[in-house]
């Protein structure tokens, strides 16, 4: 058995389980739609009455309770499906990292910039959407929710990293975690820009973990940066973060932030509004020299 076979078997098992859960979701949805149809028909009958009778009140109450139970059952199955998808993505990512970093100093293959930009957009679109239960607290790194002070990013995680360029300027770049040394409390990160091909060793102060989940504006608006908040955002078609003001927040789970980047070339000091996904918008971190 090759080293990849256990992972392939696990992926096949997860795909079978995912298919089973999707079938259950469809069955649950069909039952729910049947009940919703009964609710609509009952309301049509009620409209012919001057006053709602106790019979229809009881019937509607029962139908609505059933509808709520159906919705929660479907939501639970959707959570299972999303969990399976994340496990599959996690296994594939582990294999990618093993191939990339498991061969010592073998140089990384160069990726065309257009492909890299497309991959970053795809990463933002497929970032898991948090679907919590009612009254459940939001997890760290969901949208604008910060991580704990002792949080350590894992190998393969995307982060914003403050690095020093050859001319001495410091910039926040998009990077991938290679490792973390608990003895020195420092990260080794790779510049995500394939043209740079640079590895940096940085203290935790120079690292900002990116969101691991998207916040749903319709259920968790408090997990989004409010309008006019000063943030750092990835400038479109680049791999660098710059300071910006939130101009507008996402309205749906697929919407992006609208931000105004600081730019002295404009009279008001800000660029025209640009869209940036939740994945690439983080809180501003104060810079401290020598850290």
């Amino acid at each position: 058995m090759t080293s990849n076979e256990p992972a392939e078997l696990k992926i096949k098992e997860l795909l079978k389980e995912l298919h089973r859960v999707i079938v259950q979701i469809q069955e649950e949805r069909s039952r729910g739609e049947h009940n919703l149809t009964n609710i609509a028909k009952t309301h049509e009958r009620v409209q012919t009455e001057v006053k709602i009778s106790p019979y229809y009140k009881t019937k509607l109450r029962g139908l609505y309770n059933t509808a709520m139970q159906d919705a929660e059952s479907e939501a639970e199955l959707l959570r299972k499906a999303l969990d399976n998808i994340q496990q599959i993505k996690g296994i594939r990512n582990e294999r990618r990292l093993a191939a990339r970093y498991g061969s010592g100093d073998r140089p990384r293959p160069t990726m065309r910039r257009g492909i890299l930009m497309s991959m970053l957009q795809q990463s933002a679109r497929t970032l898991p959407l948090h679907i919590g239960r009612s009254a459940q607290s939001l997890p760290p790194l969901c949208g604008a929710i910060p991580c704990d002070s002792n949080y350590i990013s894992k190998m393969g995680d995307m982060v914003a990293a403050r690095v020093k360029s050859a001319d001495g300027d410091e910039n926040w770049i998009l990077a991938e975690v290679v490792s973390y040394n608990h003895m020195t409390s420092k990260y080794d990160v790779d510049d995500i820009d394939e043209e740079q091909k640079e590895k940096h060793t940085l203290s935790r102060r120079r690292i900002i973990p990116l969101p691991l989940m998207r916040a749903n504006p319709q259920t968790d608006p408090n997990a989004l940066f409010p309008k006019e908040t000063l943030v750092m955002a990835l400038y479109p078609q680049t791999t660098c973060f710059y300071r910006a003001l939130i101009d507008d927040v996402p309205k749906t789970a697929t919407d992006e932030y609208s931000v105004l980047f600081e730019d002295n070339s404009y009279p008001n000091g800000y660029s025209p509004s640009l869209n940036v996904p939740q994945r690439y918008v983080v809180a501003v971190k104060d810079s401290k020299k020598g850290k």
Side-chain angles (χ1 to χ4, degrees):
M1 180 179 288
T2 66
S3 58
N4 283 334
E5 286 185 9
E8 288 290 349
L9 290 173
K10 181 62 176 177
I11 288 174
K12 287 181 179 178
E13 290 174 5
L14 287 168
L15 286 172
K16 287 181 181 178
E17 174 64 14
L18 179 60
H19 179 266
R20 185 184 67 80
V21 173
I22 289 174
V23 171
Q24 287 182 306
I25 290 171
Q26 189 56 50
E27 292 173 349
E28 191 65 46
R29 184 165 295 173
S30 297
R31 282 195 292 270
E33 288 175 350
H34 178 72
N35 188 59
L36 291 175
T37 299
N38 286 338
I39 290 174
K41 289 181 177 178
T42 303
H43 274 291
E44 289 175 1
R45 296 190 186 100
V46 167
Q47 289 177 358
T48 62
E49 297 190 352
V50 177
K51 185 178 179 181
I52 301 178
S53 66
Y55 166 76
Y56 279 124
K57 284 184 179 180
T58 302
K59 183 175 182 179
L60 282 170
R61 188 179 295 112
L63 288 171
Y64 276 111
N65 284 335
T66 300
M68 291 173 64
Q69 292 170 6
D70 289 344
E72 182 53 41
S73 296
E74 184 178 338
E76 187 60 35
L77 288 169
L78 285 169
R79 293 187 193 101
K80 286 183 180 180
L82 289 172
D83 182 62
N84 278 351
I85 292 171
Q86 280 307 108
Q87 288 187 61
I88 292 169
K89 289 177 67 176
I91 293 171
R92 287 178 172 170
N93 192 47
E94 287 174 3
R95 290 174 59 187
R96 178 185 69 83
L97 293 171
R100 182 169 181 174
Y101 300 118
S103 301
D105 296 326
R106 187 179 66 181
R108 290 184 289 168
T110 301
M111 183 186 301
R112 292 203 304 271
R113 192 166 189 81
I115 295 176
L116 173 61
M117 294 298 113
S118 295
M119 287 181 62
L120 295 181
Q121 283 296 318
Q122 179 70 7
S123 174
R125 285 194 297 268
T126 59
L127 191 69
L129 178 68
H130 175 65
I131 302 178
R133 298 173 178 82
S134 57
Q136 183 183 38
S137 59
L138 290 164
L141 296 179
C142 171
I145 303 298
C147 60
D148 298 330
S149 59
N150 60 350
Y151 177 82
I152 303 298
S153 294
K154 301 176 181 64
M155 183 175 72
D157 282 355
M158 293 290 190
V159 297
R162 184 160 63 95
V163 302
K164 185 176 292 187
S165 61
D167 57 11
D169 291 337
E170 293 199 333
N171 299 298
W172 285 96
I173 65 168
L174 181 61
E176 183 177 52
V177 173
V178 177
S179 63
Y180 178 76
N181 188 321
H182 289 271
M183 297 294 291
T184 62
S185 297
K186 290 187 176 182
Y187 285 98
D188 281 337
V189 301
D190 266 350
D191 189 335
I192 202 68
D193 190 338
E194 298 285 347
E195 293 178 358
Q196 303 300 323
K197 294 186 178 180
E198 292 182 3
K199 184 176 289 186
H200 304 272
T201 299
L202 304 169
S203 67
R204 290 173 60 182
R205 289 181 181 274
R206 289 175 171 266
I207 296 293
I208 303 177
L210 298 191
L212 297 177
M213 286 177 283
R214 283 177 294 135
N216 188 340
Q218 295 167 317
T219 57
D220 301 306
N222 56 319
L224 296 170
F225 290 108
K227 186 172 181 177
E228 297 186 355
T229 301
L230 183 63
V231 298
M232 288 202 307
L234 193 72
Y235 198 90
Q237 299 302 308
T238 77
T239 57
C240 290
F241 289 84
Y242 299 99
R243 289 158 63 96
L245 279 180
I246 299 295
D247 186 46
D248 202 5
V249 299
K251 300 296 190 298
T252 69
T254 56
D255 286 348
E256 300 179 345
Y257 283 103
S258 176
V259 305
L260 308 173
F261 285 96
E262 292 184 350
D263 191 333
N264 292 330
S265 65
Y266 290 92
N268 64 352
Y270 291 97
S271 71
S273 181
L274 294 169
N275 290 339
V276 181
Q278 287 191 48
R279 171 75 156 158
Y280 305 123
V281 178
V282 296
V284 169
K285 193 168 189 177
D286 292 333
S287 298
K288 296 183 180 180
K289 288 190 175 182
K291 297 296 183 180

